[in-house]
Amino acid sequence: MTVRDGKIGQSYTVTGMDLAKETEFRLQALGLTIGTKIIILNNKRSGAVIFKVRGTRLAIGKEFAEAISITGEA
């Protein structure tokens, strides 16, 4: 499942990223790394997703949201 598929208010763990290396490094610098827990705050119809990561709100576009794999909390 990807960040784009996440439900508002649910907690997930990042399991992978299929992005250009520069983009992946930038997201890692912002705290989004493999194994990081995120909470989906808003999932807009336009494709943008807003989520909380390490205490900070982060907004990403549809293409990035579809390239970040997550798994649900058990």
Side-chain angles (χ1 to χ4, degrees):
M1 124 184 264
T2 66
V3 171
R4 180 76 177 104
D5 303 322
K7 304 288 183 206
I8 295 173
Q10 295 294 314
S11 179
Y12 300 96
T13 302
V14 176
T15 58
M17 289 187 249
D18 187 23
L19 297 163
K21 286 298 177 192
E22 298 83 19
T23 305
E24 190 172 333
F25 290 149
R26 177 66 179 143
L27 289 175
Q28 289 174 351
L30 293 170
L32 189 66
T33 57
I34 305 299
T36 302
K37 297 198 184 307
I38 64 170
I39 300 171
I40 306 293
L41 300 176
N42 203 339
N43 199 336
K44 305 209 178 243
R45 292 197 142 167
S46 63
V49 179
I50 302 169
F51 55 92
K52 185 182 245 184
V53 57
R54 299 183 190 263
T56 302
R57 291 172 58 160
L58 186 63
I60 58 174
K62 179 181 178 180
E63 293 80 18
F64 290 171
E66 291 175 343
I68 300 172
S69 302
I70 56 174
T71 186
E73 289 295 307

